Amino acid sequence: SFRCFSALTPELKTTLDKVVTSNKVVLFMKGTKEFPQCGFSNTVVQILNSLNVPFETINILENEILRQGLKEYSNWPTFPQLYIEGEFFGGCDITVDAYNSGQLQEQLEKAMCS
Amino acid sequence: MGVTKEDVESSLTSVMNPSHLEVIDTSGGCGASFAIEIVSEQFEGKRLLERHRMVNAALQEELKQIHALSIKKALTPEQWKQQQEAENSQPAA
């Protein structure tokens, strides 16, 4: 199969490179951390809150270009999308799994201390 | 026409050749929504993120319409066997 157009322009890619490294933990989600608008996004917010880690949230519902571009940038089709130290960590299921196994705490500790 | 449980099953079966597959329709009337348990040899040596990416890639077309997708389990046959044995060794309730 082939792609006729890409939502991820070079300009958007440069912007996203900056956004994901603007904070050690960045969560692209539906809604905001104060007002999540989807259960999956809410789950990740609650996990990050419970771990007491500072994080930035970006509401993808407010920007359709960002939303489409991010799917290509992350090579991940759904939201939420969690970034730690500029690197894609996973969606809701992966975050929950990593939280339960203690891997998320480990990764966040490493990020905070670096 | 929206995506059905059968569509999801058939795409995953043809791409991932799973030894165990369970697709649960979790849509509460708000659009196509599914939870998946999948066991495949193709997960061998792959981290969880890569495994989920493989499932997402297999459902590339369906995901354009799916409202929510939850991958509950993405295991190798060996991991699946171990999990089943662990569950079976629990005393019956």
Side-chain angles (χ1 to χ4, degrees):
Chain A
S1 76
F2 57 89
R3 207 169 256 159
C4 299
F5 69 94
S6 168
L8 188 63
T9 60
E11 293 77 17
L12 183 55
K13 189 184 174 300
T14 307
T15 306
L16 286 172
D17 284 340
K18 280 183 195 148
V19 173
V20 298
T21 50
S22 66
N23 215 291
K24 289 196 173 172
V25 184
V26 180
L27 180 66
F28 297 94
M29 61 177 284
K30 294 184 177 175
T32 61
K33 64 169 118 176
E34 291 80 18
F35 186 52
Q37 286 178 260
C38 164
F40 296 97
S41 289
N42 184 43
T43 299
V44 176
V45 167
Q46 296 311 322
I47 285 176
L48 294 173
N49 279 338
S50 79
L51 293 174
N52 220 359
V53 63
F55 63 104
E56 179 82 38
T57 60
I58 288 144
N59 185 0
I60 52 96
L61 293 177
E62 281 179 350
N63 190 330
E64 187 57 27
I65 294 168
L66 173 72
R67 182 179 182 165
Q68 293 311 325
L70 253 178
K71 291 182 185 180
E72 287 178 44
Y73 184 80
S74 311
N75 184 24
W76 195 259
T78 54
F79 291 94
Q81 295 185 3
L82 179 64
Y83 274 80
I84 301 174
E85 286 193 290
E87 225 179 282
F88 181 63
F89 184 81
C92 182
D93 293 323
I94 285 177
T95 305
V96 169
D97 196 87
Y99 177 62
N100 289 336
S101 70
Q103 273 174 1
L104 181 63
Q105 291 91 316
E106 213 173 278
Q107 186 106 7
L108 288 172
E109 243 165 60
K110 216 174 73 192
M112 289 307 143
C113 297
S114 71
Chain B
M1 202 46 215
V3 176
T4 65
K5 178 176 176 291
E6 287 72 26
D7 295 332
V8 175
E9 283 168 348
S10 101
S11 290
L12 286 174
T13 301
S14 66
V15 181
M16 300 298 306
N17 189 27
S19 59
H20 166 84
L21 175 65
E22 190 170 355
V23 178
I24 304 147
D25 189 332
T26 52
S27 63
C30 72
S33 168
F34 302 95
I36 293 169
E37 273 186 27
I38 181 167
V39 179
S40 169
E41 279 178 357
Q42 294 179 27
F43 291 141
E44 209 77 58
K46 302 278 200 299
R47 292 181 305 135
L48 187 59
L49 179 65
E50 296 171 73
R51 293 179 187 194
H52 282 214
R53 280 206 163 119
M54 289 164 77
V55 172
N56 290 337
L59 296 175
Q60 200 180 345
E61 281 309 307
E62 289 83 356
L63 270 165
K64 288 173 186 163
Q65 292 180 62
I66 288 176
H67 172 79
L69 178 72
S70 182
I71 304 168
K72 295 289 177 201
K73 284 180 186 169
L75 303 172
T76 63
E78 186 58 31
Q79 290 173 322
W80 173 246
K81 209 178 113 206
Q82 282 170 6
Q83 255 192 32
Q84 294 293 97
E85 277 166 11
E87 275 170 34
N88 289 337
S89 67
Q90 304 279 328

